[in-house]
Amino acid sequence: MKQIILAAGYATRLYPLTENTPKPLLPVGNKLMIEHVIEGTTAIGAIDHTYVVTNNKFAGQLTDWLTGYEHSHPDFRGTIINDNTTNNDDRLGAIGDLHLVLSQEDIHDDILVIAGDNLITGDLNEFGQYCGDSQDPVLGVYDVGSPEEAKKYGVVAIDEAGKITSFEEKPNEPQSTLIGIALYYYPRSVIPQISQYLEEGNNPDQPGRLIQWLYPHQPVQTALIPGQWLDIGSKETLETANQLFTNR
């Protein structure tokens, strides 16, 4: 299985912290953000190569980071993919970046896709086992605990077997308190559909849109993420993450 880390955003909401530093290389507790992501997904198992897709502004810094990380983690295999964008106006979008990696690297394997700013404190071993047993795509879901909080996110409703029956972005009346997070498993059979999604002219940004497009066409399963989940999109969530991971 190949892992693709989405890290091509410019994180302007975190300026000045991210004006000259890519968000995944910000320190969180005693490690860099991207290293927490990688160590979290290691528990999934079966990942033999990690691709980090970034932009032209930060490709050099991430390449330097990878050189050091592979030196200190000799079993890790990684590649930095530069999508050659330079600002928010010409970026490819998350799904566009995913397609770029799949096409450029000629990947025809099962893939795990995660955003480079999604931090999870729980053990993802069971998520990995679930993906290994599934012939369908799997979306990581997190229970935010209240309908009011769920209104801020993409809300997922599921049947008794965990299959998605509804996926609504920021609904006024959420059908559940489960939200889809940027953690996705796609079996190799689904990869051609990612190209089809873009060829049909669908929105290339926001990776959850691909799931919204997929689930009416084919079964998409869900797996509940344990522990705490943080999407580092603001200085407040970054500070919360710093406190959380420092105290672990």
Side-chain angles (χ1 to χ4, degrees), residues 3-173:
Q3 174 172 235
I4 299 174
I5 298 178
L6 303 173
Y10 292 88
T12 54
R13 286 190 293 165
L14 285 170
Y15 274 17
L17 295 175
T18 50
E19 195 162 5
N20 298 301
T21 302
K23 186 181 357 178
L25 295 187
L26 292 178
V28 176
N30 61 348
K31 293 185 180 72
L32 301 182
M33 190 183 301
I34 194 170
E35 294 172 1
H36 286 295
V37 172
I38 290 169
E39 291 184 14
T41 58
T42 296
I44 292 172
I47 296 170
D48 56 36
H49 202 99
T50 294
Y51 298 88
V52 181
V53 57
T54 185
N55 54 58
N56 193 61
K57 181 177 181 179
F58 294 131
Q61 290 186 54
L62 280 159
T63 299
D64 291 344
W65 161 80
L66 178 60
T67 299
Y69 192 77
E70 286 185 322
H71 181 75
S72 58
H73 299 76
D75 294 332
F76 182 80
R77 296 289 179 271
T79 302
I80 304 299
I81 304 294
N82 182 355
D83 72 2
N84 289 307
T85 66
T86 55
N87 55 59
N88 274 327
D89 294 331
D90 69 354
R91 63 194 180 98
L92 302 182
I95 303 170
D97 279 320
L98 171 59
H99 181 256
L100 171 70
V101 177
L102 295 173
S103 302
Q104 181 175 302
E105 300 300 310
D106 195 27
I107 295 172
H108 302 281
D109 196 355
D110 303 335
I111 58 172
L112 180 79
V113 182
I114 187 169
D117 57 0
N118 269 221
L119 299 183
I120 299 164
T121 64
D123 189 334
L124 292 177
N125 179 265
E126 286 190 15
F127 178 87
Q129 291 179 14
Y130 190 86
C131 294
D133 294 337
S134 177
Q135 301 299 312
D136 302 318
V138 180
L139 169 65
V141 295
Y142 182 73
D143 192 341
V144 293
S146 75
E148 197 60 35
E149 185 66 15
K151 290 179 181 180
K152 304 174 185 176
Y153 303 99
V155 176
V156 177
I158 59 176
D159 64 15
E160 292 180 357
K163 185 178 73 174
I164 294 178
T165 59
S166 172
F167 192 148
E168 297 180 275
E169 192 66 36
K170 298 181 180 178
N172 291 325
E173 297 183 4

